[in-house]
Amino acid sequence: MAAATSPKEIPLPTPDNFLSESQWAVFMALMDTIAPAILPPTSISSTTTPTPTSPPENDKSVLRLSQKEYTQAATKIRSAVAPHEVTAEVIEAYLRERPSENPMFEKILKVVLSGLPPGKKRELKILLTVLSTRPGSLLLTSYATPLPQLALEDRTKVLDGWRESRLWAIRGLFKSMTTLGKLGFLRSSTSFAPLTGFPSVPKEWVATSSHPFAFVTPTAEMETDVVVVGSGCGSGVVTNRLASTFGKGVRVLVLEKGRHFDASCFPMAQTVGLSAMFESGGVVESDDGSVTVTAGSCFGGGGTVNWSASLQPQDFVRRDWAETYGMPFFEGEEFQECLDHVWEKMGVTDKITPNHGNQVLLNGGRQTGCKKCKIVPQNTRGKPHNCGYCTLGCANGEKMGPVNGWFPEASEKGAVEFMEGFKAERVLFDEKKKGKKVACGVIGVWTPKEGGESVQVVIKAKKVVVSAGTLWSPVVLMNSGIKNPQVGKNLYLHPVNFVAGAFDEDIRPWEGGSLTTVVGDFEDLDGKGHGAKLEAMSMMPSLALPFLTWRSGSDYKLMAAKYRHINQYISIIRDRDTGYIYKDPHTGDPRISYTPSDFDRAHNFVGVLELCKILYATGAREIHPCLPGFQPFVRSEGDSKKTDKAFKKWMRKLKKHGNKPPVAPFVSAHQMGTCRMSAKAKDGVVDPRGRVWDTEGLYVADASVFPTASGVNPMVTTMALADWVARGICEDIKDELVVEKVPSRL
């Protein structure tokens, strides 16, 4: 059998087609405005002959340029992709491409929209219906013509009007629609990769396989000793600790609502990767649309899709948790042992050679006077791991998250089993033990991987560990009758803003590790540990480029074409102010109530300003704060003093512009705190050993137990806390094993 030359293909999930044909036509008219077809004056180009699918002259979803303008656009694109050489046909295909002529765009967006809560779906249906009528269009667009019948230029004006509206909801509509259009275009485009030279499969790719996990097919009722709900970073450490302590003597069953994908599927194609491995396709919005949340939802959870950053919590955070929250162990040797344990287990290394983007951050930070410019260690068992694709899955198995490290070892040492496609509904309690809520298992629904009917499954267990993540763990507890008012509260998100820089150099931003450097000089702006860190981000096109500012369809296409010359960065903050999680009344899924406060977004903006200074200092040709309504800085040739003066003037304008939501994009990849650990029951959800207050045998072990935001990428902190909780679980089990053996000795 011939060796595989690319990852195995994964199909897109089946979407919920809740929009009617007429509603979908309005939606696609908006999408064609965001990423339009750009053509010369006639449908007959200089390089191709007319086809039956050539758009007619009166097609309102086509941007017709004069021959001179079209030639200029093609020339700019050729320059943007240099030194990568492309033919005129490739450039023409890119300019011509539009969402309504790409079946994959439609499939991807239908999957993404399927993840909307029922209330949001209903609002979208109403909006699109209104825009299809003359009175409705007049109300929302100022044109007495249904939106699909408007010329492309007029639709662009409509979007600009939405961005500048006084109404939050209308400004949010601009952000949502432009983000969806950019995201769908970049995930589905057939011309973007040939144009920019982006290889959809890493050039060093070699087919590998993951550990051969055996997944259980359930019966209606099952029994184990410890059941762990979730398979993310917390779950991996807990399971490993149990297996290492008890070997085959304690049975452990790990439940995951998502799916396991073998390493031979990685990195996934951009068309399907986010839909397959992230919650709701990677697009979960807060209720008011101000923040977009990305959370792993597959076997391994965030440990499968994160960027390998391995940072321990700073001393001031540990001191805060110890002193303010009354849990002194956070400053003690025992917790440091937990941090060291996970650090060593994953072979965390700082022997990293930064790629261009990360080196720019390191050098630029130092050039602008920053003192805390550092390498970010990686959990790659001592290997450099130069994989910019890793957010779409680790193909070579070097990233030591749950799937490649913690679970395989647990499988070999202990009696550990796994189940995918199991959505836990609630924890079961022993009704015979009056006055106590003693956990005795979970109940949930299992869906076969091959499709077919879902079945309800009861799993009896002596201990229940909830490690479903910050979004889902509080929902499981709510469903289980835990009345503690703190459940779901204290949500921290580490919200980020973005800044991009375009360089003259041929960067090829997909090469090298994603996040390997950090600037920490601004992490304590209030004297209480709240502030911004500056980091590079994953440069997968469909992950990074949707946050570039949209000014018009043609402007965006020309900017995206510069991809191989772009670095993008985040100003990520340790937020002080919180939101909360609650259950959707129709689906029972988690909903997010969170708006970045004035206090917190001011810290984000400090980071934005500093990133602009760093990009200027390192010679970026263009500096793009990702803030709609604000123009980029473009460096001119010639007098450096004149350029410096122009940059300072531009920075003054930027300071006045600000980063107000909902138009300014805020994104969270770190969710924490909704099952807070506390010294007293009134202040949190779990006690200092991770036991849910006023219950027995029920624990939480994931980032939801953080007392506050960690201030650093939370993987190592999550794992250390999970190890701390797991050590307590092991002690509890040992005590019970002794009690159980006593009668047999009499």
Side-chain angles (χ1 to χ4, degrees), residues 424-429 431 436-439 441-443 466 472-487 583 685 692-695 698:
E425 294 177 344
R426 58 188 171 89
V427 177
L428 299 173
F429 295 99
E431 301 295 334
K436 291 185 177 181
K437 292 182 77 69
V438 180
V442 299
I443 186 171
V466 179
W472 279 98
S473 286
V475 170
V476 173
L477 296 186
M478 291 174 193
N479 290 341
S480 306
I482 303 299
K483 302 300 184 184
N484 187 324
Q486 295 288 340
V487 175
K583 289 195 304 178
V685 178
V692 175
W693 286 107
D694 300 321
T695 70
L698 177 59

Side-chain angles (χ1 to χ4, degrees), residues 247-458:
K248 306 293 184 181
V250 171
R251 297 167 298 164
V252 182
L253 177 59
V254 177
L255 308 173
E256 169 55 50
K257 70 180 176 64
R259 298 296 180 186
H260 169 58
F261 299 102
D262 187 76
S264 58
C265 302
F266 296 150
M268 284 198 186
Q270 294 189 95
T271 52
V272 71
L274 273 74
S275 296
M277 296 193 291
F278 287 78
E279 192 77 29
S280 296
V283 185
V284 181
E285 285 195 336
S286 60
D287 284 347
D288 65 4
S290 61
V291 181
T292 302
V293 171
T294 60
S297 183
C298 58
F299 189 61
T304 296
V305 299
N306 69 19
W307 305 345
S308 302
S310 302
L311 295 167
Q312 296 195 13
Q314 305 101 312
D315 290 344
F316 62 78
V317 173
R318 293 177 63 178
R319 188 180 311 117
D320 182 35
W321 292 0
E323 296 176 1
T324 306
Y325 292 91
M327 292 177 284
F329 73 89
F330 278 116
E331 280 197 294
E333 291 183 5
E334 285 185 295
F335 187 61
Q336 186 60 51
E337 287 177 8
C338 295
L339 288 164
D340 293 341
H341 171 69
V342 301
W343 191 269
E344 292 164 9
K345 200 83 167 175
M346 295 189 295
V348 173
T349 180
D350 60 0
K351 305 302 181 185
I352 305 296
T353 301
N355 65 2
H356 183 279
N358 283 277
Q359 193 66 54
V360 161
L361 187 63
L362 206 60
N363 295 347
R366 291 166 179 162
Q367 287 174 243
T368 56
C370 296
K371 305 299 183 184
K372 298 181 180 179
C373 308
K374 300 178 181 178
I375 294 290
V376 174
Q378 311 284 294
N379 66 329
T380 54
R381 201 170 283 172
K383 298 179 181 179
H385 192 59
N386 295 316
C387 178
Y389 295 70
C390 219
T391 197
L392 297 173
C394 186
N396 54 22
E398 290 175 350
K399 185 168 62 175
M400 290 295 111
V403 175
N404 296 324
W406 300 94
F407 284 147
E409 184 179 77
S411 301
E412 293 163 3
K413 289 184 176 181
V416 180
E417 293 184 309
F418 304 92
M419 189 187 302
E420 59 179 334
F422 184 95
K423 186 176 180 179
E425 294 177 344
R426 58 188 171 89
V427 177
L428 299 173
F429 295 99
D430 191 339
E431 301 295 334
K432 296 178 182 178
K433 298 188 178 181
K434 303 296 183 183
K436 291 185 177 181
K437 292 182 77 69
V438 180
C440 64
V442 299
I443 186 171
V445 174
W446 176 76
T447 303
K449 191 170 187 176
E450 300 76 19
E453 290 294 321
S454 298
V455 294
Q456 190 174 73
V457 179
V458 173

Side-chain angles (χ1 to χ4, degrees), residues 739-746:
V739 170
E740 289 174 1
K741 290 178 181 178
V742 168
S744 66
R745 295 175 182 171
L746 296 177

Side-chain angles (χ1 to χ4, degrees), residues 27 30-36 99 105 109 127 155-156 158-163 170-186 283 285 289 292 545-553 556 626-629 662-665:
F27 181 77
L30 282 166
M31 298 299 102
D32 276 352
T33 310
I34 293 156
F105 181 98
L109 263 293
L127 169 72
R155 292 185 221 159
T156 300
V158 168
L159 287 167
D160 281 337
W162 288 356
R163 175 180 57 79
I170 300 300
R171 298 198 305 276
L173 185 60
F174 165 84
K175 176 185 172 184
S176 296
M177 289 299 169
T178 54
T179 301
L180 284 170
K182 292 180 288 184
L183 179 151
F185 175 71
L186 291 159
V283 185
E285 285 195 336
T292 302
L545 301 187
F547 299 110
L548 293 176
T549 298
W550 186 92
R551 298 176 188 85
S552 70
Y556 183 76
C626 299
L627 300 168
V663 172

